[in-house]
Amino acid sequence: MVKYKFPDDFIWGVATSAYQIEGAYNKDGKGENIWDRFTSIPGNIYKNHNGNVACDHYHLYQSDINILKELGIKNYRFSISWARIFPDGYGKVNQKGIEYYRRLINALLDKGIQPAITLYHWDLPQELQDIGGWTNKKVVDYFVEYAELMFKEFGDLVPIWITHNEPWVVSILGHAWGVHAPGIKDYKIALKVAHNILLSHGKVVKLYRSMSLKGKIGITLNLSSIHSATDSEKDLLAAKIYDGFMNRWFLDAILKGSYPEDMKKLYNELNILPQFSDDDMKIINERIDFLGINYYTRSVVKYDENAYPLKVSMLDLDNPKTDMGWEIYPKGLYELLINLHKNYDGIDILITENGAAFNDIVNYKGKVVDDYRIDYLYRHLLEAYRAICDGVNLKGYYLWSFLDNFEWAEGYSKRFGIVFVDYNTQKRIIKDSAYWYSDVIKNNGITE
Ligand SMILES: CO[C@H](O)c1c[n+]2c([nH]1)[C@H](O)[C@@H](O)[C@H](O)[C@H]2CO
């Protein structure tokens, strides 16, 4: 008996990204990217881990797809490595790169699995970083060139396209906090990068429309439900600012065609507001078919006089957390979905990432009994179900992640997969959560 049944056409999938699983970092003509470079610098990554081999998915993709088939997973979100296609970021095309992704896409389709492609999941070709990366408007045009080739090669095979994964993370973690590639620590640069990424997004959506392709295109944003630590005026303002910093800056630009006034004023006062034109905002506001959201946890914030530049800091609550130290707060997914539905005209939404890292152990039977992950997924899917019942146009859910993989600055220390990867042997072990999720897909809902 299915207690919580999802809509008949609901998309159930899993997600990965190229740098985190492919490996083969220098094989078959692939160029260097900024994560190859960033991980080669000692101290940047936990125990100096890197993605040189990762899950070796570049060579093991067929057996991995067989696991997807065995689990009855019919939708798979993955990203294309830009430097595998254009080793220098533009110009010369690497045919072996195109051939790899064609093999991968055809192998998925042969098993009845629908691909969803993310064009950019953080792995900028290093040659482009060497000319300023996303601060350089030329990179915007090179992204359009890369996207056009991908649409020409795979546009008739792939029904769902995501231009960018999490421009906020690329901008802030990569260019303000410096904990992600390329390791820059400058808020003004970070907001200029965010603007150019959004420009590249809008140009590519417009290009996709001009090519009369039959699929759907959108963008993925990392969004969080923001709570103030107290009801004090200062903490409530801190929450509004953090909501603007993480959520509204991107949502309003993409879906309303203007950056939020309160944040423009604040950024201008802080002298970190990027330059932009009305024409820019029209391009960014190009109509999308869906909004992709990555939800993992809420953010509880307070006013903090010493916190540069926003005078906002996060609280570390003593509540149940995942291995990433992120509070387990499923209700935040419901709150976020309802807010998006109300404030952005009921746009179609795909949850393009939701999942949890836990310290998984292979037991004496060779099994991974990850009940914590099942509990996390169950509680979040229940909130997604509640949101659908309350009118939200939620069209699908891609679980993060299919495989344990390279978790950026945390290296291989954090396991998000529903399939365990032994990095010494590249053996895969299907975790209990994968079998649980397989049942959810088979039943199109939750049975208890
Ligand atoms: C605050 O979490 C972010 O939304 C977020 C979490 N995650 C992400 N974004 C990225 O899209 C993935 O590549 C990460 O592997 C994954 C797990 O950390």
Side-chain angles (χ1 to χ4, degrees):
M1 159 62 177
V2 182
K3 196 167 179 183
Y4 306 103
K5 192 155 182 64
F6 280 68
D8 288 345
D9 56 355
F10 194 78
I11 294 169
W12 295 103
V14 292
T16 64
S17 85
Y19 188 79
Q20 294 180 270
I21 67 165
E22 285 182 357
Y25 80 107
N26 62 352
K27 294 287 186 292
D28 291 348
K30 173 183 166 290
E32 184 185 21
N33 65 41
I34 58 174
W35 276 92
D36 296 319
R37 180 68 61 87
F38 191 70
T39 57
S40 73
I41 300 163
N44 280 342
I45 308 295
Y46 172 81
K47 290 190 178 176
N48 296 324
H49 289 171
N50 60 51
N52 292 358
V53 176
C55 308
D56 199 22
H57 182 72
Y58 185 80
H59 297 109
L60 300 174
Y61 69 90
Q62 188 59 68
S63 53
D64 286 335
I65 290 171
N66 293 343
I67 294 174
L68 291 174
K69 180 68 178 175
E70 178 189 342
L71 294 170
I73 295 171
K74 298 185 176 65
N75 299 279
Y76 176 50
R77 175 192 174 220
F78 63 96
S79 75
I80 289 179
S81 171
W82 185 345
R84 241 187 246 290
I85 305 299
F86 287 101
D88 302 326
Y90 66 99
K92 178 170 62 72
V93 175
N94 175 34
Q95 281 305 326
K96 285 190 174 181
I98 289 180
E99 287 157 15
Y100 165 66
Y101 289 107
R102 185 172 299 284
R103 288 198 306 275
L104 175 65
I105 292 165
N106 284 334
L108 288 164
L109 294 172
D110 289 350
K111 298 287 185 185
I113 300 167
Q114 290 303 307
I117 286 182
T118 307
L119 286 167
Y120 188 73
H121 201 123
W122 307 354
D123 46 1
L124 188 72
Q126 182 61 44
E127 292 275 339
L128 299 186
Q129 189 59 44
D130 292 344
I131 60 168
W134 287 105
T135 65
N136 187 337
K137 282 274 196 305
K138 279 185 182 174
V139 173
V140 172
D141 297 332
Y142 293 148
F143 182 69
V144 175
E145 178 190 25
Y146 156 58
E148 182 171 23
L149 181 59
M150 294 300 89
F151 293 156
K152 282 177 181 169
E153 290 288 343
F154 309 127
D156 58 333
L157 298 172
V158 176
I160 294 177
W161 292 87
I162 296 164
T163 55
H164 282 280
N165 181 73
E166 302 188 338
W168 182 91
V169 171
V170 177
S171 153
I172 300 303
L173 271 66
H175 296 82
W177 299 350
V179 293
H180 276 195
I184 293 169
K185 296 181 181 178
D186 183 316
Y187 274 88
K188 195 172 179 88
I189 288 176
L191 288 167
K192 182 176 182 181
V193 159
H195 185 70
N196 285 341
I197 286 177
L198 290 177
L199 263 182
S200 74
H201 155 77
K203 288 177 178 234
V204 162
V205 174
K206 188 178 176 79
L207 169 71
Y208 187 82
R209 300 273 183 249
S210 73
M211 294 173 73
S212 307
L213 291 165
K214 300 285 178 286
K216 294 183 184 296
I217 190 164
I219 188 171
T220 279
L221 301 179
N222 57 291
L223 301 173
S224 183
S225 42
I226 313 297
H227 294 171
S228 62
T230 72
D231 289 343
S232 73
E233 198 175 321
K234 282 190 168 184
D235 284 352
L236 289 170
L237 177 60
K240 184 170 184 279
I241 288 169
Y242 202 78
D243 180 53
F245 170 62
M246 177 177 264
N247 300 330
R248 291 183 290 117
W249 188 256
F250 297 90
L251 287 165
D252 285 15
I254 296 162
L255 298 173
K256 295 183 175 178
S258 62
Y259 288 123
E261 289 305 322
D262 61 328
M263 298 310 294
K264 281 195 287 189
K265 182 172 179 295
L266 177 59
Y267 289 163
N268 190 44
E269 288 162 3
L270 292 167
N271 189 30
I272 58 175
L273 182 68
Q275 288 187 338
F276 57 87
S277 66
D278 291 346
D279 286 349
D280 286 355
M281 300 317 292
K282 283 195 182 70
I283 291 167
I284 294 172
N285 186 220
E286 190 71 32
R287 182 185 63 79
I288 53 177
D289 299 304
F290 64 86
L291 173 68
I293 67 166
N294 292 350
Y295 175 84
Y296 288 87
T297 186
R298 68 169 172 173
S299 305
V300 183
V301 300
K302 67 177 182 180
Y303 172 77
D304 180 347
E305 180 63 30
N306 303 313
Y308 173 81
L310 304 176
K311 296 190 185 316
V312 180
S313 59
M314 308 264 283
L315 267 67
D316 180 12
L317 300 174
D318 191 17
N319 292 340
K321 296 185 177 80
T322 69
D323 209 26
M324 289 292 281
W326 298 343
E327 182 190 6
I328 299 172
Y329 194 79
K331 191 164 175 292
L333 176 57
Y334 175 83
E335 293 166 0
L336 174 63
L337 290 168
I338 293 294
N339 285 340
L340 290 171
H341 185 72
K342 282 181 185 163
N343 300 330
Y344 298 96
D345 300 327
I347 187 166
D348 283 0
I349 295 170
L350 284 175
I351 294 173
T352 41
E353 287 179 30
N354 173 249
F358 289 109
N359 185 19
D360 297 317
I361 307 290
V362 182
N363 71 16
Y364 72 99
K365 295 178 183 174
K367 304 288 185 190
V368 179
V369 183
D370 57 338
D371 286 348
Y372 284 137
R373 185 171 287 105
I374 293 172
D375 186 80
Y376 177 98
L377 297 171
Y378 172 89
R379 292 176 188 277
H380 285 81
L381 284 176
L382 227 44
E383 296 300 335
Y385 174 80
R386 282 178 57 216
I388 291 170
C389 293
D390 289 351
V392 174
N393 296 315
L394 179 61
K395 301 299 180 183
Y397 176 93
Y398 291 86
L399 192 158
W400 187 270
S401 180
F402 171 36
L403 300 169
D404 291 337
N405 59 56
F406 177 79
E407 180 47 40
W408 308 111
E410 311 286 342
Y412 297 101
S413 68
K414 306 299 176 204
R415 293 181 177 275
F416 275 89
I418 57 172
V419 174
F420 185 95
V421 176
D422 179 333
Y423 297 109
N424 297 317
T425 64
Q426 290 299 349
K427 181 182 173 194
R428 273 66 165 150
I429 299 173
I430 298 176
K431 301 180 190 176
D432 284 6
S433 57
Y435 294 114
W436 179 83
Y437 190 53
S438 178
D439 280 344
V440 168
I441 296 169
K442 194 164 54 191
N443 296 312
N444 191 31
I446 306 170
T447 53
E448 53 193 330

